[in-house]
Amino acid sequence: MIMHYNIDRTVRKLINNIINDVIAPPMSSIQFNLQRLNALSPGLENTEAWENWCQKNHAWPADVPVPRTDAIPAMMKRRMSPISKLAVQVATELSRDEHIDFVVFSSRHGELQRTVTLLKDIQLGEPASPTAFSQSVHNTAAGLFTIATKTPVPATSLAAGEDTFHCALTEAAIYLSEHPEHRVLVIDFDAPVPEPYGEFEQQVFKPYALGLLLTKGDDICIERRPIHDANATHTQEKDLPQGLAFYSQWLDQRTHFEIESARQSWRWHIKQVEK
């Protein structure tokens, strides 16, 4: 028994060392340049509207029409979920007249609304819709974007809890380090979770999509630190998804700010903000 315990303790120590030194070192950083960005949400369809949202302490517009989706073919829109429409619309607008080499779609909850609807149908003994099922996967928006734009571009879809947005930026930065001449499109999107999961949602926000066109460079540097090393006096935006927290700071033209999750802190250093 003692021998087994010692082996187990040694293995645990080795795993912890790998995590701390290789997978998630005490401090790591990524760098990139931001060429263009765009965001879309019901009632927030241009920079002026988003600036007003910031000035009103992130108050979401009420009783607003459905956002524009004119960049998506009409035949496709009929079967798409509202959140996929936002993501594909923003991605299509940002990629128009641009050469994109890689696309990263990031969403904490993805098509959860559609999945919950399917589960409820099954629970009631009703047949699940094949169309709804085919578009309930996490990479739905990525696939629809390549179809809508007829662009055979490599794409990936990420979900990483609270840190989904920053993990997408990390994925893009790693790609750019290997392909410095390429251009990467990052699309972060999400919507509030449906019932019965609402009790687990701490943040209050409306469906949104945020797009960033990135290239190799050092105009923006993001440092990642374990939360126990974080300086709590820095700017916090825990009430918003990380993508919106960044965009809020960007619109306020802040060059140094911090966004935290439960486990880690992301410290932004921007040479110059250009909205």
Side-chain angles (χ1 to χ4, degrees), residues 165-184:
F165 173 64
H166 285 95
C167 287
L169 295 178
T170 301
E171 177 83 2
I174 292 173
Y175 177 89
L176 288 171
S177 69
E178 298 176 349
H179 308 279
E181 303 301 321
H182 286 192
R183 301 162 72 82
V184 180

Side-chain angles (χ1 to χ4, degrees), residues 3-35:
M3 183 178 64
H4 285 288
Y5 173 77
N6 288 337
I7 292 175
D8 181 57
R9 183 172 59 183
T10 302
V11 171
R12 289 203 309 271
K13 183 178 180 180
L14 176 61
I15 292 174
N16 288 334
N17 288 339
I18 292 174
I19 292 174
N20 292 331
D21 298 335
V22 180
I23 299 177
M27 184 183 74
S28 57
S29 65
I30 56 174
Q31 297 177 333
F32 52 81
N33 289 352
L34 176 55
Q35 302 297 325

Side-chain angles (χ1 to χ4, degrees), residues 165-166 220-223 234-237 242 245-260 265-270 273:
F165 173 64
H166 285 95
I220 296 177
C221 177
I222 306 174
E223 296 178 351
H234 284 231
T235 302
Q236 306 289 318
E237 291 284 358
Q242 290 183 353
F246 151 73
Y247 194 42
S248 175
Q249 300 295 330
W250 179 269
L251 291 173
D252 282 340
Q253 297 187 315
R254 298 181 183 271
T255 56
H256 296 84
F257 55 89
E258 180 177 319
I259 299 173
E260 286 188 1
S265 166
W266 305 90
R267 297 182 177 181
W268 285 69
H269 307 275
I270 306 175
V273 178

Side-chain angles (χ1 to χ4, degrees), residues 105-270:
F105 281 81
S106 63
S107 180
R108 182 175 184 179
H109 302 118
E111 294 285 347
L112 185 58
Q113 179 68 63
R114 195 187 293 270
T115 302
V116 169
T117 300
L118 285 169
L119 292 175
K120 288 181 178 179
D121 289 342
I122 294 173
Q123 188 178 33
L124 294 173
E126 300 177 1
S129 164
T131 299
F133 179 77
S134 67
Q135 294 194 14
S136 66
V137 295
H138 203 77
N139 63 343
T140 293
L144 292 173
F145 165 71
T146 60
I147 295 172
T149 59
K150 300 180 181 179
T151 305
V153 60
T156 189
S157 298
L158 299 180
E162 290 179 275
D163 296 301
T164 294
F165 173 64
H166 285 95
C167 287
L169 295 178
T170 301
E171 177 83 2
I174 292 173
Y175 177 89
L176 288 171
S177 69
E178 298 176 349
H179 308 279
E181 303 301 321
H182 286 192
R183 301 162 72 82
V184 180
L185 183 61
V186 174
I187 305 296
D188 182 68
F189 64 102
D190 217 340
V193 296
E195 295 297 334
Y197 301 105
E199 62 181 290
F200 303 106
E201 180 63 78
Q202 303 299 320
Q203 298 171 329
V204 178
F205 64 98
K206 292 293 182 67
Y208 76 92
L210 171 70
L212 302 89
L213 180 59
L214 308 181
T215 58
K216 177 70 173 178
D218 60 358
D219 286 350
I220 296 177
C221 177
I222 306 174
E223 296 178 351
R224 187 203 66 83
R225 296 174 181 265
I227 197 64
H228 56 77
D229 288 339
N231 185 344
T233 61
H234 284 231
T235 302
Q236 306 289 318
E237 291 284 358
K238 288 185 177 180
D239 59 323
L240 294 172
Q242 290 183 353
L244 291 178
F246 151 73
Y247 194 42
S248 175
Q249 300 295 330
W250 179 269
L251 291 173
D252 282 340
Q253 297 187 315
R254 298 181 183 271
T255 56
H256 296 84
F257 55 89
E258 180 177 319
I259 299 173
E260 286 188 1
S261 66
R263 296 183 178 182
Q264 48 206 347
S265 166
W266 305 90
R267 297 182 177 181
W268 285 69
H269 307 275
I270 306 175

